[in-house]
Amino acid sequence: MIKVLHTSDWHLGNTFEGISREDDHHFFLNWLIQELIEKKIDVLIIAGDIFDQPQPSAEAHKIYFQFLFQVSQKTDVKKVIIVGGNHDSPSRLDAPAELLKLLDVFVVGGMNSDFSSLSRYICPIINEHNHIELVVAAVPFIHEYRLGVRTVFQSEKEIQLSFKEKLTALYKNLADEAEFMAKGAPLLATGHLACVGCDNDDAPLEVHRVGTLGGLSPDIFDSRFSYIALGHIHRAYHVENSKAYYCGSPLPLSVKESKQTRYVQVVTFTDQKLKEQLPLIEKIAVPLRRKIHELKGTLDSVLYQIENLTWDTIAPPILCLQIDVDMYYAGMDFEIRRKINSYFSKEAPMIASIKQNLIQLNNALKENDSNYFSLKDLTTEQVFIKMCENQNQNVDEELLNAFRSLLSEEIL
């Protein structure tokens, strides 16, 4: 028996509206170490987006390397397999790869355009008897250009077809290489891409210029792979009619994600002699250190919600506030923060954003019961306010007076 833990989309170094998630990542990774020990995990797979930015901070790097060292010292994990995501810098991930081999860490930051030798992407898992138990094809995020897909003078349908054909051929060739090495052991592959079943809220951005998110069919994956560990989509789900799974991000990175349970996935191969076997799959809920809540309503209503706020996590939540107002109130941020300090004697919720929604303007825009409106129906000041709202910019009387001053000068 061999047990694999599949996780992805850590986004180390991430901040939410300027609020650091460092403590949240420490909490998750400490929990993960314990899971690796208690579940007796043999292989840990991190399917991309380890970091939030291509040039992560020194602190994000420190968290990353400390975790890998702890895995090597505290657990019985035989191999950690890391592939790059669209948020990661392939060269930065690959730079310490030779050194990380000493910790039994196998890293593939990116793929180059030369697919003549695929052995670099194949990782065998070998037991204490020197027998191969599992073979992993470690596939990172691949830009379509690397696959030879060209978008110039091509229709969207032609681009999608070309991309699908190239990916299908890649996974087939990797399966050939892995099968030759496996000698009957099961095969597993990774990927960092968007498959069918996801929507625009499931990931921060589209990763390929091949049409809408979720356009990739699961038949790109070779049937010889018993499990495909995917990253990029932040929601955990099974890709229909396939052996491909997303485990989702372990930390909520938005209000919507905070409403969904976060998971890692344990994949158990019960008999290494049956390469066609379907593994046992168990979703493990990730405990959260804190959540992200969105509160809406009038100022009094929102303050009442804050005063009566409760939480089931060890740390109070991060709050995103949407306040309905008749006119913009310059001192609202100060008043809300002062009230919060009076409500909570110990740790208080953190305010990520306070957005004032002008009711008069909203009502004016809804007069025709339509989602669309014409600029000619708005005053210059209303257009300015609407543009500020679209940029998440709070509009107070000071800003409006400055705008009115400029507008008056323009008219003169």
Side-chain angles (χ1 to χ4, degrees):
M1 181 173 72
I2 184 168
K3 299 178 80 172
V4 178
L5 191 143
H6 168 204
T7 179
S8 73
D9 295 88
W10 290 1
H11 289 274
L12 297 176
N14 173 264
T15 61
F16 182 79
E17 300 288 348
I19 296 175
S20 171
R21 310 301 301 281
E22 183 180 326
D23 289 341
D24 302 307
H25 277 116
H26 278 300
F27 182 81
F28 161 66
L29 294 176
N30 289 336
W31 171 83
L32 183 56
I33 289 290
Q34 293 306 311
E35 286 299 300
L36 295 174
I37 296 170
E38 292 174 11
K39 296 286 192 299
K40 298 181 180 179
I41 300 299
D42 300 293
V43 180
L44 171 64
I45 291 179
I46 312 171
D49 282 356
I50 292 87
F51 297 105
D52 194 56
Q53 300 291 337
Q55 297 184 355
S57 66
E59 186 56 43
H61 267 123
K62 182 179 178 180
I63 294 171
Y64 172 64
F65 289 121
Q66 281 182 337
F67 172 78
L68 295 179
F69 181 72
Q70 286 183 326
V71 172
S72 72
Q73 296 299 303
K74 296 182 178 181
T75 78
D76 293 325
V77 170
K78 299 173 184 176
K79 190 73 70 175
V80 179
I81 298 175
I82 300 170
V83 298
N86 59 297
H87 278 251
D88 300 311
S89 164
S91 59
R92 283 179 180 272
L93 274 187
D94 283 332
E98 290 300 313
L99 184 62
L100 289 177
K101 285 181 181 179
L102 299 176
L103 300 179
D104 288 318
V105 178
F106 182 86
V107 180
V108 178
M111 274 189 164
N112 56 36
S113 301
D114 181 13
F115 296 112
S116 58
S117 176
L118 296 176
S119 58
R120 174 180 177 250
Y121 311 108
I122 304 298
C123 180
I125 310 301
I126 301 173
N127 64 18
E128 61 275 11
H129 304 296
N130 206 32
H131 295 151
I132 293 177
E133 297 182 290
L134 176 73
V135 177
V136 179
V139 184
F141 164 71
I142 317 170
H143 193 279
E144 58 265 25
Y145 188 86
R146 295 285 187 187
L147 290 170
V149 178
R150 300 297 180 260
T151 59
V152 179
F153 305 123
Q154 300 288 315
S155 68
E156 184 175 289
K157 186 174 181 179
E158 289 172 328
I159 297 169
Q160 287 178 326
L161 180 60
S162 176
F163 189 44
K164 179 182 176 181
E165 289 175 347
K166 297 285 187 179
L167 275 178
T168 302
L170 174 63
Y171 277 102
K172 177 189 179 302
N173 292 336
L174 285 167
D176 290 340
E177 188 90 14
E179 187 177 45
F180 177 77
M181 183 182 294
K183 303 185 187 310
L187 311 181
L188 184 152
T190 71
H192 193 90
L193 42 77
C195 264
V196 293
C198 57
D199 58 46
N200 289 329
D201 291 328
D202 286 332
L205 49 84
E206 294 183 10
V207 290
H208 296 294
R209 296 174 59 195
V210 293
T212 58
L213 192 70
L216 289 173
S217 169
D219 57 12
I220 62 173
F221 304 116
D222 194 281
S223 62
R224 286 170 287 179
F225 291 114
S226 298
Y227 182 89
I228 298 97
L230 297 179
H232 179 60
I233 301 303
H234 290 184
R235 174 172 57 87
Y237 77 96
H238 174 215
V239 180
E240 190 174 354
N241 299 320
S242 79
K243 302 171 188 174
Y245 292 80
Y246 288 99
C247 60
S249 58
L251 263 65
L253 304 180
S254 68
V255 172
K256 180 176 180 179
E257 289 181 23
S258 196
K259 297 176 182 177
Q260 303 165 342
T261 304
R262 319 315 299 168
Y263 295 99
V264 297
Q265 198 146 280
V266 174
V267 185
T268 304
F269 295 88
T270 56
D271 190 344
Q272 286 73 55
K273 296 179 181 179
L274 299 175
K275 66 177 182 178
E276 299 297 334
Q277 69 169 305
L278 290 178
L280 303 176
I281 298 167
E282 180 186 8
K283 291 168 71 174
I284 308 294
V286 177
L288 298 180
R289 178 177 172 271
R290 58 180 171 178
K291 296 179 180 179
I292 303 170
H293 291 328
E294 184 177 54
L295 304 181
K296 297 180 179 181
T298 63
L299 178 58
D300 288 341
S301 171
V302 168
L303 288 174
Y304 177 80
Q305 293 176 63
I306 294 174
E307 186 178 8
N308 292 277
L309 198 62
T310 60
W311 52 87
D312 56 3
T313 54
I314 65 171
I318 297 172
L319 301 182
C320 298
L321 308 181
Q322 299 235 18
I323 316 293
D324 295 333
V325 297
D326 294 325
M327 60 181 294
Y328 288 104
Y329 174 24
M332 181 177 290
D333 287 31
F334 175 77
E335 180 177 343
I336 291 175
R337 296 178 194 278
R338 181 176 61 82
K339 288 280 190 181
I340 286 180
N341 289 333
S342 69
Y343 293 155
F344 302 95
S345 57
K346 296 182 180 180
E347 267 196 300
M350 300 184 73
I351 304 294
S353 62
I354 301 174
K355 183 177 180 181
Q356 298 185 43
N357 298 318
L358 191 60
I359 297 300
Q360 293 174 341
L361 178 59
N362 290 341
N363 289 339
L365 298 180
K366 294 177 181 178
E367 282 182 357
N368 296 324
D369 192 27
S370 172
N371 292 326
Y372 301 94
F373 56 89
S374 172
L375 285 176
K376 68 181 181 181
D377 297 327
L378 303 179
T379 65
T380 304
E381 186 172 305
Q382 286 175 327
V383 172
F384 172 71
I385 292 171
K386 192 65 180 172
M387 291 178 67
C388 289
E389 286 182 342
N390 288 338
Q391 296 298 319
N392 259 341
Q393 171 68 51
N394 287 332
V395 182
D396 53 30
E397 279 302 311
E398 184 179 352
L399 182 60
L400 277 178
N401 286 335
F403 175 75
R404 289 163 184 155
S405 177
L406 287 174
L407 189 62
S408 298
E409 292 177 10
E410 184 68 24
I411 293 174
L412 292 174

